[in-house]
Amino acid sequence: MPATDLEQIVNLCKRRGFVYPSAEIYGGFRSSYDYGPLGSLMLRNVKDAWIRAMVQERDDVVLIDAAILTPPQVFEASGHLANFSDPLVDCIVCKRRFRQDQLADRECPQKREGCQFTEARAFNLMFKTHAGPVEGEGTDVYLRPETAQGMFVNFGNVLQTSRKKPPFGIAQIGKAFRNEITPGNFIFRTREFDLMEMEYFVPPADGPKWYQYWCEQRMQWFLDLGIPADLLRLRTHESDELSHYSTGTRDIEFQFPWGWGELEGIAQRTDFDLRQHAEFSHQKLDYFDQSSNERYVPFVIEPAVGANRIMAALLLAAYDQDIIGGEPRTVLRLHPRLAPYQVAVLPLSKKDSLTPLAHRIHAALSKRYMCEFDETQAIGRRYRRQDEIGTPLCVTVDFDSLVDDAVTIRERDSTQQVRVAITSLESEISLRLGF
Ligand code: GAP
């Protein structure tokens, strides 16, 4: 059964080295997190899975990596300087600040006697800094709040250099920064996060068809990664929820322990961004279709998702507790492509006679998979540790291995064990992992 309490995941992440509070030795930095040895591997696997589905397995999407520091002209054109804000209210009694749209019935969560709010005011969520040694006029730059603008401003460059034509997409993964008023729920909402976005440029008349297509594709992606269907739903935005650039958005939502929450947004950005940048930069950002002899500004469908938020959902969905051999165990039933390690190589004991063979096996498998080597503690405890961090397969090297040139593969989910020849170990592992 998936985790029912966020604390189950928060504790496991801290205890096993997935996620630590940032700057913890100084008391922590509110709502910032560092990814430890296991978390950084898993986060990378989430991004790789996205690139695999969005770029590698398609012939119509290219990847770019644009700058984080962005001049104000870009966000003036995109509308972020004017519109990328949340409505902020102050409680004049408890002196706390809240997002007005997140307050149930406009009640102060502190519920003190006589709590009263100020009028709402727009609070821009972009982080501003300055470039160069002198602070002042003309040196302002912004940390991007979305990666999307890097793809719009490079539309012409990519069109010229990639030989793509609509329908085609530009994808990007990178850090985004938002000065969130109410960050929280662990890595669900933080002020810096890893955003994975794809701008899909299509002939305007085909917009609705591709919007439907990307909603289905993206939902299937979460299902393929093992999130149960009953923990996912697609929700259409009400008109008052839409971002300034969107004429229609659907969210893929996940059933978090605190309720349904957004995992991914799929937006119809129309030709808004390309037209704005064309106007502000005085450059042509359109496409000439030679077959129809038509020039048009493509419409854009944008699936956008945070890697960290997906990681939280994947951990919650994969968390399980069962009883093995009369003993309770915690297991992360992660998809093998997402687990930090695909294989753990475990010599039965820390004897000199076993270690060299175990190291040779680890070295061979490591060329293809992320593998751990662990020779401390009793074998049962090592299996439990691997179960708890989601490693799908353990390879145990025992004293018989020195004689019969075979090892034992143990499966995380079933705990079944099977003896295989070392010569066929790699193919047996590939068969079980599915890659
Ligand atoms: N370019 C469109 C865009 O940025 P968004 O709905 O604001 O759309 C996209 O963000 C995704 O980014 C969200 O669905 C969520 O997964 C993730 N995200 C947004 N704000 C976040 C935050 N403060 N912390 C972690 N992830 C966040």
Side-chain angles (χ1 to χ4, degrees):
M1 214 183 78
T4 49
D5 184 351
L6 187 63
E7 283 308 306
Q8 291 169 303
I9 292 302
V10 177
N11 292 339
L12 190 150
C13 282
K14 176 82 205 302
R15 196 173 64 248
R16 292 302 191 188
F18 280 83
V19 181
Y20 313 121
S22 210
E24 197 180 12
I25 59 168
Y26 293 102
F29 176 42
R30 193 175 157 240
S31 300
S32 274
Y33 293 93
D34 297 338
Y35 290 72
L38 299 186
S40 53
L41 289 178
M42 183 172 171
L43 193 61
R44 197 190 71 166
N45 290 345
V46 170
K47 295 179 197 173
D48 286 349
W50 188 85
I51 288 185
R52 172 179 293 276
M54 301 298 277
V55 182
Q56 186 178 329
E57 292 177 355
R58 306 185 63 95
D59 61 7
D60 57 351
V61 180
V62 293
L63 188 68
I64 68 162
D65 193 341
I68 290 174
L69 292 175
T70 311
Q73 294 91 317
V74 171
F75 294 124
E76 206 180 314
S78 71
H80 283 78
L81 276 173
N83 299 307
F84 195 64
S85 55
D86 280 339
L88 183 87
V89 289
D90 291 288
C91 177
I92 54 176
V93 176
C94 49
K95 311 281 182 223
R96 299 261 319 260
R97 272 185 180 168
F98 303 97
R99 258 176 71 174
Q100 187 189 39
D101 56 329
Q102 288 181 345
L103 290 171
D105 307 326
R106 276 192 61 84
E107 250 196 43
C108 178
Q110 300 295 303
K111 292 197 185 335
R112 294 231 190 103
E113 187 85 5
C115 272
Q116 214 186 330
F117 290 125
T118 56
E119 283 298 309
R121 62 194 164 88
F123 173 75
N124 195 292
L125 300 181
M126 285 198 292
F127 281 102
K128 187 175 168 180
T129 183
H130 67 95
V134 185
E135 225 175 305
E137 198 66 11
T139 63
D140 285 352
V141 289
Y142 291 88
L143 304 188
R144 63 183 177 196
E146 59 168 11
T147 63
Q149 297 309 321
M151 296 182 268
F152 294 126
V153 299
N154 279 296
F155 173 77
N157 285 335
V158 174
L159 203 59
Q160 270 175 22
T161 53
S162 72
R163 301 160 65 89
K164 297 286 175 212
K165 54 184 191 172
F168 83 101
I170 308 179
Q172 184 173 195
I173 296 183
K175 289 272 185 201
F177 303 83
R178 298 182 187 178
N179 196 1
E180 299 279 3
I181 301 167
T182 46
N185 284 331
F186 191 39
I187 53 175
F188 177 83
R189 191 185 305 282
T190 48
R191 293 199 172 100
E192 69 172 85
F193 57 96
D194 296 280
L195 192 51
M196 311 194 287
E197 298 191 287
M198 197 271 290
E199 311 304 322
Y200 200 69
F201 301 91
V202 303
D206 295 346
K209 181 182 85 182
W210 285 110
Y211 178 49
Q212 185 60 29
Y213 169 87
W214 280 111
C215 287
E216 286 164 15
Q217 288 285 310
R218 296 304 303 147
M219 180 59 100
Q220 191 57 47
W221 186 73
F222 288 107
L223 295 169
D224 291 345
L225 291 184
I227 299 189
D230 61 334
L231 296 183
L232 293 168
R233 73 176 187 188
L234 201 60
R235 187 183 69 80
T236 304
H237 276 209
E238 300 293 337
S239 55
D240 62 352
E241 288 177 86
L242 292 174
S243 308
H244 63 275
Y245 49 71
S246 173
T247 57
T249 296
R250 285 191 201 131
D251 284 348
I252 296 176
E253 294 189 332
F254 178 78
Q255 175 84 75
F256 286 95
W258 59 89
W260 290 99
E262 174 187 347
L263 264 192
E264 168 155 358
I266 300 126
Q268 304 184 71
R269 288 184 88 128
T270 66
D271 55 2
F272 176 85
D273 300 270
L274 288 182
R275 279 194 190 282
Q276 288 291 106
H277 285 302
E279 187 188 326
F280 279 69
S281 67
H282 310 293
Q283 305 281 323
K284 268 206 168 94
L285 294 177
D286 55 18
Y287 175 71
F288 180 67
D289 186 344
Q290 283 176 337
S291 59
S292 65
N293 222 13
E294 262 185 308
R295 184 172 288 283
Y296 63 84
V297 181
F299 269 35
V300 169
I301 310 300
E302 176 199 68
V305 60
N308 323 74
R309 198 174 279 190
I310 299 183
M311 188 165 144
L314 289 165
L315 288 167
L316 286 160
Y319 187 91
D320 197 11
Q321 288 177 313
D322 60 6
I323 305 284
I324 297 296
E327 295 277 325
R329 96 170 158 155
T330 300
V331 53
L332 280 185
R333 301 190 191 280
L334 288 172
H335 187 289
R337 280 201 189 275
L338 300 174
Y341 296 114
Q342 281 77 56
V343 182
V345 177
L346 312 175
L348 189 63
S349 93
K350 209 176 166 178
K351 286 269 161 49
D352 287 350
S353 50
L354 291 186
T355 305
L357 175 61
H359 273 306
R360 276 203 303 280
I361 290 173
H362 178 264
L365 294 176
S366 295
K367 297 207 185 306
R368 189 156 164 193
Y369 302 110
M370 192 59 74
C371 300
E372 187 168 48
F373 186 90
D374 185 7
E375 57 182 354
T376 53
Q377 294 187 319
I379 190 71
R381 293 190 69 167
R382 281 184 276 161
Y383 284 150
R384 291 304 159 90
R385 178 173 181 276
Q386 295 303 327
D387 291 342
E388 203 179 5
I389 65 174
T391 311
L393 299 175
C394 291
V395 170
T396 312
V397 181
D398 58 26
F399 293 101
D400 288 343
S401 305
L402 301 172
V403 183
D404 64 2
D405 286 327
V407 289
T408 301
I409 296 179
R410 175 194 181 267
E411 290 185 355
R412 173 194 72 199
D413 292 341
S414 64
T415 72
Q416 272 179 357
Q417 301 191 12
V418 55
R419 193 88 182 153
V420 302
I422 293 173
T423 48
S424 57
L425 180 59
E426 204 170 314
S427 57
E428 291 286 343
I429 284 178
S430 165
L431 194 71
R432 283 167 176 78
L433 292 177
F435 57 94

